[in-house]
Amino acid sequence: MLQKFFLVIVAALCFLPNSAVAENSTPRIVVLPFEIFSQDESSSLADEIPKVIRTFLEQEGADIVHGTGEEMASGRISARDMQNIRNIGIKNGADYVIWGSLTRIGLQFSLDAKMVRSFDKQPPHAFFVRGDKMENLPTSVKNMARDMGLKIFKREKVLKVIISGNKRIEADAIRTKIETKPGDVYLARSLARDLKSIYAMGYFEDIRVEEEDGPGGKIILFKVKEKPTIRVIRIKGNRVYDDEEITENMTLKTGAILNIFRLNSNVKRIEELYKEKNYHNVSVKFKVRPLENNQADIDFMIEEGEKIRIKSIRFEGNSIYTDKKLKKMMKTSEKGFFSWVTSSGEFNNEDVAQDAARLAAFYQNSGYIKARVGDPEVRFEKDWIYINIKIEEGPRYKVGQVKIDGDLVASEEQLLKALKINKETFYNRSVIRDDVLALTDFYSDAGYAYADVAPRIKKDDEKLQVDITYLIDKGLRARFEEIVISGNTKTRDKVIRRELRVYEQGLFSGRRLKRSIRNLHRLDFFEDIKVDTPKGSADDKMVLKIDVTEKPTGAFSFGGGYSSVESLFAVFSISQRNLFGRGQLLNLKAQLGGTSNRYTLSFTEPWLFDIPLSAGFDLYNQKIEYDTYDKDSIGGGIRLSYPVFDYTRVYLSYNYDRADIKNISEDASDSIWDLEGINTTSSITIALKYDSRDQVFSPTRGQNHSFSVEYAGLGGDIAFTKYLAETGWYIPLVWEFTGFLHGKTGFVKENSDNGLPDYERFYLGGMNSLRGFDWRDVSPTEKNIFGDDVRVGGDKFVQFNAEILFPLLKESGLMGVVFFDTGNAYNNDEAIDLGNMRESVGYGIRWYSPMGPIRLEYGHILDPKEDEADGQWEFTMGTAF
């Protein structure tokens, strides 16, 4: 084993760099075999130990003399005869002779060696090493050889390494960069490497290396001078950006080490920042102001120059389309007269690159299949930017034969009906992409989740037409092996699963999967819904992973308003839309005003008996002070609903109301006096509702329609039939705008004398009907006994609302709205007159805030009467928990 150790040491020494520096000439050395005193067989060490010594000294620059075997033998025998030792050196022309012995007792060893000069009578120099384990012998031999080299080459050891001058940088941090350690050979080139390493730290302005003689070696001193730290950074001459905007984009901060390279780097950063706003003539310089305590202030002087705008956009090679037409396709534009308002002429590298792609797509979608648009050439000349775009239009190609080939799951005629390219006259790349998606969706609905649709284009340059063949590889029919739901800490799995239109072991369907995700969004239980469909255990299986992020579904809300009936009123509500994570709805509501109080408790179970049968009940207690009477009522109802068509449910409900009509004023109408006392209403309502909105609050697309009939007269004192119809359309517009059209109408008739009370008639006005008007302020009137007009409510009404909603701060959910409202209520003897409608216009904001929905809207009456104000503000607010 020791022999292997020695071989490793020798091999390593052979690859050491030659670091010898001869004093005058290369010394010649003879190393004799060592004597071994050991109880076991260790005779090989007699040659291995000298071999290590020879290799080390040779790498240090010595010339090793290899004597004859006879001389070595005589040296071993006569090791104590100093003259014989010198003679061996003289005979071989060696300057030095080295010999020694190894004594081993148990695990301990003692290594003794001597070195003598051949040509003088000085006593030999002795070297001695003792060790506890034989495994340490190779290292001990190497250390002894190093000590021999120090004597032969008259080198010195490093006694200490001292660092001085540092104030902020710790000495230990500097010491890690210094390779020279105490006990090493003192070498100037090693110190040079250490100097470079310390400079590379970037903290020092000056470094000096000094040496001092010590007892038995050298003391090395590294004297450093630290670079100053930055105390203050000042920005001067800036108008376009404020100081904070500039410093945020800089890597240089106060307290940092002053570094000239970082200063220059930050100059470039500031210049690039200005160029982003088209200040391409900007000039940035810096000045360093030295201070005491090794600190400095930095001043960045900025000459912004004038903003450069686009002077002209020119095209080369276009003949089919004019420059004006092509410029309309681009986001980038030339500087116009109102550029200070419209930002026309602004230059943006990304926009210019995308404009080239837009132009290419425009040509490709217009039949110019070979059209090529070159990279825009941008020139900066003084205060202007010039853009030149080269275009190769090529010929225009018509649509030729359209086919579908490959794996067909329906007849080719049926699949061709799903395409739009066969209705186009000229080749259109955008339409082809849409057709690929349409065919992919068609196949996905049949379970082929991995269907591949590739359009093959065949150009006929003579006829200038393109034949298009859609090649379809349907792949395997995929099934959902497993549906994995995660992220729901409150909502139960079954509440999510019952909204899905895809099922485990069921066939994949892209349409039904999209509908499933839309249903989950409509629950309004989740902030985010992520869907992934990785492959399952086989090629024809996939896993549906649904990861939801829940949001608060409880709400404490309040709102308020003003009306001629209520004056100021407030509405408070506590609700939970996902009670115990079961999807149940519980709501407690109180409306308190100057003339009315109403308390309501309602509960809804959307999936009774785990089928889509919705059931619920409502209880209420209400007191209202009308102009001519008071109404105290208590009542409730039960309701059921069930889906009958897509997005469509049928509703059935029963309601009971016990109303006490009292405090009737003398000027009340006869119909009010007829109601004095207790009046009970027992009614049943059937309704049909269609709701395809993509979300409940701030929908962007979909429809919401309903029709209902209420029949009262199942006992009680009140008997009437009421019809209501309502429609709402959400239409996506340009620029993320959404249009909303809403209409509502109703008709009620009494089924017996005095069977239709005033409070079942129709009144308009307020936030949810005609904004700008007071609550219940739009209705027909009749004369009382004093000849005054009093509102009595209509037996019919019409209402129409038109809105445009647009994002103000999209990320925050803040929306703006402008609206037009019109409508009216009519009495028994009046026909609906669309030319006699009350009208209002207005504006407002809507915010789906962290506290819940907030609406603040102002309505302006277009045709105010003498006793009406021009308009008013109304609001509702909420908070979530």
Side-chain angles (χ1 to χ4, degrees), residues 539-609:
D539 290 341
D540 62 343
K541 295 180 180 179
M542 65 167 49
V543 177
L544 174 58
K545 292 184 177 181
I546 301 175
D547 183 22
V548 299
T549 302
E550 293 180 315
K551 67 180 179 181
T553 53
F556 169 70
S557 63
F558 65 93
Y562 177 87
S563 73
S564 59
V565 176
E566 286 286 352
S567 295
L568 291 173
F569 69 91
V571 179
F572 300 91
S573 173
I574 298 178
S575 66
Q576 175 54 259
R577 295 181 290 104
N578 188 13
L579 187 64
F580 306 123
R582 299 175 180 269
Q584 299 166 336
L585 173 62
L586 180 66
N587 184 51
L588 177 62
K589 183 178 180 180
Q591 179 173 318
L592 308 175
T595 58
S596 71
N597 296 325
R598 179 181 174 90
Y599 304 93
T600 306
L601 173 65
S602 63
F603 173 80
T604 303
E605 166 56 70
W607 281 68
L608 188 64
F609 309 126

Side-chain angles (χ1 to χ4, degrees), residues 10 90 116 197 200 321 361 471 482 509 527 606 745 765 771 870:
V10 172
I90 294 170
V116 65
S197 297
Y321 297 108
L471 300 175
E482 185 182 7
S509 171
E527 286 184 0
T745 187
R771 285 158 285 193
D870 291 339

Side-chain angles (χ1 to χ4, degrees), residues 605-656:
E605 166 56 70
W607 281 68
L608 188 64
F609 309 126
D610 285 331
I611 61 175
L613 173 63
S614 175
F617 68 83
D618 303 281
L619 301 173
Y620 64 85
N621 187 333
Q622 179 174 267
K623 297 181 179 181
I624 303 177
E625 297 178 6
Y626 292 104
D627 290 340
T628 56
Y629 67 95
D630 294 346
K631 173 178 177 282
D632 295 353
S633 62
I634 186 170
I638 57 175
R639 46 191 159 74
L640 300 170
S641 76
Y642 192 82
V644 290
F645 304 110
D646 207 16
Y647 299 114
T648 307
R649 299 181 76 94
V650 63
Y651 293 79
L652 179 65
S653 62
Y654 170 78
N655 295 279
Y656 179 84

Side-chain angles (χ1 to χ4, degrees), residues 21 71 77 108 204 276 312 360 394 473 475 510 569 585-586 670 766 860:
V21 180
E71 291 169 343
I77 294 170
Q108 295 182 336
F204 305 106
E276 288 177 4
S312 70
D473 179 6
F569 69 91
L585 173 62
L586 180 66
D670 293 341
H860 174 71

